């Protein structure tokens, strides 16, 4: 029997000890663990049956070794097993999965994307958390809360909003999707470096469509699209779009040639090159520029933003809502571009040009802002 085939030890402490002994032996001698072992380790971490010190060592050692597909997949499966996942009453759901650690280099407008998609007849969900390392940037939760959106709906309440034709979208927080995972935020802050959780948490898929659930997420580094494809298939996404986006988000550069990778059903992962001009966009900036911001009140932390992130979220809320009301500029273009990509991927439109025009109509008619308003506190 090989090391990878040995039975799982039912004793949490001994099992974690075994996993750490293998993954934390330095750059030359560390060994990979199997899908089932990674799943078992993450189950212990989520359940609190792993000692916190062991949990931290395991996560950082796995990162330093570089996680395998099986290790990523096993950790994701454990998180899915511990999550609240609900079926919607609509055929298709687009899952907008931006980085949970947020944005620090530009004003994020992707929190407004689900409402735009809903106005185009595509139900959508986004998710996140208040503040997660390593960036601790402006997250979907922060931006939407600054816009008076209810960011504390349970998964079931979010699904009810998505099921409504006049709403069609929702934000659901990680504290409701997977409370056990959310409880690890403090541990993640203490270990500083980006753990496997950062890679896999965006792929839970808390809301599922009756016919298909479609992932839209972003990446920066070239090796990630095949990794995300592997994880998306484990999670059960019918199709996925992986955008080479600004800060790893779902919006490509507004002035440069970019690309996205996609798959449909059992099809292969394919690369698509795109230009902003194909969507009728002519901009001199890559993303929505940062305004003048106050310095951060947090000192002594080199990983955190150097400015007031809550102020950034407030500014993003103002700019995003103005874009939903048709104000021209980078924010509106970012929403048009990202939504247009998804409409082409879903086969609703055949080209970025026609897709972008459809999105602009949804915005300029006021439909997108109306859909957005429906999730505001009444």
């Amino acid at each position: 029997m090989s090391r990878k085939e040995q039975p799982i030890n039912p004793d949490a402490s001994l099992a974690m000890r075994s996993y750490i002994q293998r993954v934390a032996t330095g750059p030359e001698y560390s060994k990979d663990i199997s899908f089932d072992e990674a799943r078992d380790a993450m189950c212990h971490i989520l359940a609190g049956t792993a000692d916190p010190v062991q949990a931290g060592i395991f996560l950082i050692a796995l990162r330093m070794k570089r996680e395998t597909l099986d290790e990523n997949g096993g950790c994701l499966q454990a998180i899915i097993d511990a999550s609240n996942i609900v079926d919607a009453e609509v055929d298709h759901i687009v899952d907008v999965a931006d980085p949970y650690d947020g944005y620090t280099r530009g004003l994020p407008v992707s929190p407004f994307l689900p409402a735009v998609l809903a106005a185009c007849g595509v139900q959508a969900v986004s998710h996140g958390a208040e503040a997660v390392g390593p960036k601790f940037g402006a997250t979907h939760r922060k931006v939407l809360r600054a816009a008076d959106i209810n960011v504390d709906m349970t998964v079931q309440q979010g699904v009810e909003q998505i099921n409504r034709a006049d709403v069609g979208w929702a934000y659901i927080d990680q504290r409701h999707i997977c409370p056990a995972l959310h409880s690890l935020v403090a541990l993640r802050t203490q270990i500083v470096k980006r753990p496997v959780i950062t890679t896999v948490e965006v792929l839970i898929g808390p809301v599922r469509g009756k016919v298909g659930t479609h992932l839209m997420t972003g990446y920066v580094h070239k090796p990630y699209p095949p990794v995300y494809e592997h994880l998306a298939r484990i999670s059960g996404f019918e199709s996925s779009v992986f955008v080479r986006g600004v800060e790893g988000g779902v919006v490509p550069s507004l002035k440069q040639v970019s690309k996205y990778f996609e798959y449909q059903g059992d099809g292969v992962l394919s690369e698509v090159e795109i230009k902003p001009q194909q969507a009728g966009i002519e901009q001199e900036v890559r993303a929505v520029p940062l305004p003048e911001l106050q310095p951060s009140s947090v000192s002594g932390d080199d990983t955190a933003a150097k400015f007031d992130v809550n102020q950034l979220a407030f500014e993003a809320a103002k700019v995003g809502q103005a874009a939903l009301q048709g104000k021209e500029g980078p924010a509106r273009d970012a929403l048009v571009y990202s939504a247009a990509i998804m409409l082409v991927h879903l086969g609703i439109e055949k080209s970025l040009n026609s897709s972008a025009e459809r999105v602009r109509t949804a915005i300029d008619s006021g439909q997108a802002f109306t859909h957005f308003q429906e999730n505001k506190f009444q």
Side-chain angles (χ1 to χ4, degrees):
M1 181 177 289
S2 71
R3 295 283 293 181
K4 289 188 177 183
E5 294 172 339
Q6 61 185 326
I8 301 296
N9 194 319
D11 184 293
S13 179
L14 293 178
M16 291 299 297
R17 180 183 177 88
S18 171
Y19 306 146
I20 291 169
Q21 282 178 328
R22 280 178 277 163
V23 302
T25 319
E28 295 182 15
Y29 300 106
S30 289
K31 299 178 179 64
D32 301 332
I33 59 176
S34 70
F35 178 99
D36 289 337
E37 290 170 328
R39 181 180 186 178
D40 184 60
M42 186 56 68
C43 282
H44 286 307
I45 293 171
L46 293 170
T49 51
D51 180 87
V53 174
Q54 287 185 321
I57 293 172
F58 174 80
L59 291 171
I60 195 63
L62 203 63
R63 178 63 179 174
M64 299 305 288
K65 179 186 74 67
R66 297 296 176 91
E67 303 93 342
T68 65
L69 289 179
D70 277 346
E71 290 164 346
N72 278 323
C75 290
L76 172 61
Q77 189 61 62
I79 293 171
I80 291 173
D81 294 341
S83 295
N84 300 312
I85 298 175
V86 178
D87 294 328
E89 295 176 3
V90 299
D91 287 343
H92 296 276
I93 293 288
V94 171
D95 188 311
V96 178
D98 255 353
Y100 275 33
D101 59 356
Y103 291 81
T104 59
R105 299 175 191 167
L107 279 181
V109 294
S110 50
F112 303 90
L113 179 59
V116 174
L117 290 170
C120 296
V122 179
Q123 287 81 6
V125 65
S126 73
H127 39 87
E130 173 72 15
V132 179
K135 286 198 300 185
F136 299 99
T139 60
H140 277 228
R141 179 182 173 88
K142 284 181 179 290
V143 174
L144 292 173
R145 186 179 58 223
D148 295 323
I149 294 296
N150 184 356
V151 294
D152 287 309
M153 289 185 284
T154 65
V155 180
Q156 186 58 53
Q157 289 170 333
V159 169
E160 289 171 2
Q161 293 296 90
I162 291 169
N163 288 338
R164 288 176 50 186
D166 61 334
V167 185
W169 75 281
Y171 168 85
I172 306 174
D173 199 75
Q174 187 185 76
R175 69 180 65 239
H176 295 297
I177 298 169
C178 188
L181 180 60
H182 190 264
S183 71
L184 299 177
V185 169
L187 174 65
R188 295 167 64 178
T189 301
Q190 288 178 309
I191 66 176
V192 182
K193 302 298 289 184
R194 173 189 172 106
V196 62
I197 295 170
T198 307
T199 300
V200 304
E201 66 189 341
V202 298
L203 291 119
I204 296 172
V207 181
R208 302 296 172 127
K210 291 194 296 184
V211 176
T213 310
H214 313 275
L215 175 67
M216 185 178 202
T217 193
Y219 75 97
V220 174
H221 303 296
K222 293 179 181 180
Y224 271 91
V227 174
Y228 280 141
E229 178 202 8
H230 178 78
L231 294 171
R233 292 188 188 277
I234 289 174
S235 190
F237 287 101
E238 174 67 20
S239 74
S240 295
V241 171
F242 311 116
V243 180
R244 189 170 190 185
V246 177
E247 291 195 64
V250 297
V251 181
S253 169
L254 297 177
K255 74 171 186 177
Q256 297 163 320
V257 175
S258 189
K259 66 179 69 173
Y260 64 86
F261 289 79
E262 65 178 352
Y263 75 81
Q264 300 275 358
D266 295 329
V268 299
L269 187 68
S270 59
E271 179 180 337
V272 181
E273 184 176 278
I274 50 174
K275 301 176 182 178
Q277 294 78 10
Q278 292 173 301
I281 295 171
E282 296 285 349
Q283 283 290 344
E284 295 300 317
V285 293
R286 295 180 66 246
V288 186
L290 283 174
E292 196 73 29
L293 298 169
Q294 296 295 321
S296 172
S297 59
V298 179
S299 61
D301 187 350
D302 292 336
T303 66
K306 300 298 184 279
F307 48 78
D308 188 331
V309 172
N310 289 324
Q311 184 190 359
L312 170 58
F314 180 78
E315 295 294 334
K318 289 197 301 183
V319 169
Q321 288 179 94
L324 286 184
Q325 295 176 77
K327 182 178 180 180
E328 295 186 1
R332 178 172 173 266
D333 284 347
L335 290 173
V336 167
Y337 201 8
S338 195
I341 290 170
M342 202 65 209
L343 295 186
V344 172
H345 170 75
L346 294 173
I348 295 172
E349 293 289 342
K350 294 184 177 180
S351 70
L352 274 179
N353 182 61
S354 64
S355 186
E357 287 306 308
R358 183 181 184 125
V359 178
R360 289 189 183 95
T361 298
I363 292 175
D364 296 341
S365 67
Q367 293 179 44
F369 188 61
T370 298
H371 279 268
F372 183 77
Q373 293 281 89
E374 288 297 328
N375 270 326
K376 283 198 171 187
F377 285 106
Q378 301 301 318

